Amino acid sequence: MKPSINYSIYLVTDEKCLHGYSLLEAVEAALQGGITLLQYRGKDKSSAEMYTQAVALKALADKYKVPLIINDRLDIALAVGAAGVHLGQDDLPCKVARSICGDDFIIGVSAHNTEEAKQALADGADYLGSGAVFGSNTKLDAGMLGVANLAAICSSVTIPVVGIGGINAVNYREVLAAGANGAAIVSSILGADNIKAATAAFRCIYDAFQQKN
Amino acid sequence: MKPSINYSIYLVTDEKCLHGYSLLEAVEAALQGGITLLQYRGKDKSSAEMYTQAVALKALADKYKVPLIINDRLDIALAVGAAGVHLGQDDLPCKVARSICGDDFIIGVSAHNTEEAKQALADGADYLGSGAVFGSNTKLDAGMLGVANLAAICSSVTIPVVGIGGINAVNYREVLAAGANGAAIVSSILGADNIKAATAAFRCIYDAFQQKN
């Protein structure tokens, strides 16, 4: 059975954001602060390094009962028993990944407009990652999407949408108000001095938004 | 059932070697010349690009009934229905790949000494790639192995061993005489002006060696 996923506070790893913490220390603090989903992104590493880090993150995520998604690398996802994979437009086609992994595996797809969103839905994606909603300094080449386009993407599909790119505790509410099920967050959590408190702030904003809507 | 593999003339792709040919043109000429096994190596490409190239190479290899092996990326291998994967020491562990792919999948492992060779055998590798036997300009960081060390590796295991690194029509016979089942060849075939003839030279040398031994 496909696992039930809470997309509200979706941490995406980036070691370049860290201020004096190891990746595992930072992720554990975020897990303690209440992230609901974890994505491991290990671009530019060897497969062996990615595997080793993913094994460690899987053990940590399991401890906090938070699902782990692997960016791009379906083989690493399978190797560590991750809940799923996140596929960008430059990664394996969603349909191909689905044919390898079966129906219970979570496949997320990056969609930058309603056309890509509808295509991903047709290809069997479980959720979409859409951005960059705001200016982001973690992916320098990412074009800006904006909240209005995010809302259009959310309206165009029947699967969960997660906003990504430049999302922080100040603008997170706008992402939820646009119809997104949550936000993929990188530097606003991993770059914080107090990672647990930074994560808890997102948790608080999410809970408040849910109560009013 | 595990496919039967002829390791004698094992072409490994490298687009940087090509002289005016497209990768597909070059590989087809090598297939016409008599390569017995093909490895697709697409380092530094996006997963989508690797997938697209691997699909095209799989169709070409199938046409000539030559098995296709994918370097490093088990997910790409599974995605295109390749015969197997080749894992370097910086790639996924062999044991992990085996647990994902089952017994019929071909797994090759790079082994630079007898310790790595014995470990790969214990981990379920189907063959070893050992080198750099000679100086190679396709992998600048590869240390030299030499023919004597290659022979030691061949003697240390019960699975096929393929020499790699700087192998050309002049020194190929030494690789076979060291006990290797074949050679992984890059620039001596792909960098040739007449790729089909360059491949046929290896075929001729291999057949002559077999007749005398």
Side-chain angles (χ1 to χ4, degrees), chain A residues 47-48 51 72-74 90 96, chain B residues 47-48 51 72-73 75 90 96:
Chain A
S47 298
Y51 173 71
D72 179 13
R73 294 291 298 269
L74 181 56
D90 289 333
V96 173
Chain B
S47 297
Y51 173 71
D72 179 13
R73 294 289 301 268
D75 48 356
D90 289 334
V96 173

Side-chain angles (χ1 to χ4, degrees), chain A residues 7-19:
Chain A
Y7 292 96
S8 60
I9 307 175
Y10 185 2
L11 180 67
V12 179
T13 68
D14 183 349
E15 287 183 277
K16 293 190 296 295
C17 292
L18 301 170
H19 287 170

